[in-house]
Amino acid sequence: MVVNASALDRAQQQAMFFRDPLQDPVRPGTFGTLYLLRRDINDMKSAMPNKAIWPRTMAIMAGIDLVAKFYADDDVIGGVTTRFKDFVKEYITANNEIDAETLYQLRNSLLHSFGLYSSSKVGSVVYRFTVDQDSANWLIRQNSKITENWWVNLTELDKRFEKAVTDYDAHITAGTKTFPTGDKNIFDKYGSVSIG
């Protein structure tokens, strides 16, 4: 059913945004953007388990960007670096600044350079990425001989992204984190979409 999502209360908006991606949508309807993105990631994993590595990683990076706006309750231009890295440090890399920076550079390389190369503004560090799929639980590895070469394990990144989303939702429900208050219209801008 198509609804005016901005008229829903915060708990309803939260439920729409964090909806389980394994639930099938009933169309036409209004759906949380995070729900739809996670559904698409799951569809790619199911239909092409060893393929679509590039778009799956791009989708996860876009998902982190999206959730980071809610986490920060902010979408100010120029604030993406801080939002992204703050969310990643708390929920994905256990406060590891180097790993958070590396994932931010992977995000930049995929979403802005359309490749697997990036360089940081500070210190001019160069990143050349390889995206891997490994069942082991490592997330990021740097080549000890060619320090600009980094590997990111998509399997682990996907697991950590899903856990981050689940944990953040649970923290909101427990009252230790907040869902956007509405002052900056974060949910109205980015939280839902209607599909026919």
Side-chain angles (χ1 to χ4, degrees):
M1 170 192 322
V2 176
V3 298
N4 178 1
S6 62
L8 301 174
D9 66 32
R10 270 197 209 107
Q12 292 169 317
Q13 291 175 344
Q14 179 186 347
M16 178 183 282
F17 189 69
F18 289 104
R19 182 177 171 182
D20 182 344
L22 298 178
Q23 294 177 357
D24 287 329
V26 177
R27 295 180 187 169
T30 305
F31 305 98
T33 52
L34 181 63
Y35 159 74
L36 293 172
L37 180 66
R38 291 167 68 208
R39 257 190 108 250
D40 287 351
I41 292 169
N42 284 342
D43 286 350
M44 282 189 278
K45 284 190 302 191
S46 295
M48 303 172 281
N50 296 309
K51 298 178 182 168
I53 296 169
W54 189 308
R56 280 174 49 202
T57 308
M58 291 175 81
I60 291 170
M61 292 294 122
I64 294 170
D65 262 346
L66 176 63
V67 176
K69 286 180 185 183
F70 282 73
Y71 172 78
D73 193 9
D74 183 66
D75 67 343
V76 66
I77 295 172
V80 66
T81 304
T82 301
R83 285 191 302 266
F84 185 96
K85 288 169 55 175
D86 285 352
F87 180 79
V88 165
K89 283 188 290 188
E90 180 158 351
Y91 287 101
I92 296 177
T93 67
N95 289 313
N96 184 317
E97 181 70 39
I98 293 170
D99 285 356
E101 176 68 23
T102 303
L103 288 179
Y104 179 70
Q105 294 301 326
L106 176 63
R107 168 217 179 268
N108 292 346
S109 75
L110 287 169
L111 300 181
H112 296 295
S113 300
F114 310 105
L116 293 172
Y117 168 88
S118 187
S119 62
S120 67
K121 291 178 184 176
V122 179
S124 299
V125 177
V126 172
Y127 296 82
R128 296 183 188 281
F129 291 102
T130 299
V131 179
D132 196 359
Q133 292 186 107
D134 187 341
S135 60
N137 64 356
W138 64 274
L139 178 61
I140 297 169
R141 289 188 177 156
Q142 183 179 22
N143 186 319
S144 60
K145 294 181 179 153
I146 307 170
T147 58
E148 61 186 42
N149 289 357
W150 297 80
W151 290 271
V152 177
N153 182 357
L154 175 59
T155 305
E156 184 66 15
L157 178 62
D158 182 54
K159 286 180 200 171
R160 291 191 192 193
F161 172 64
E162 278 300 313
K163 183 173 180 344
V165 167
T166 302
D167 289 351
Y168 177 45
D169 182 31
H171 291 160
I172 293 168
T173 301
T176 58
K177 298 290 179 194
T178 59
F179 199 64
T181 61
D183 297 346
K184 297 176 186 165
N185 297 317
I186 298 298
F187 183 84
D188 291 344
K189 293 178 187 175
Y190 309 107
S192 67
V193 65
S194 294
I195 299 176

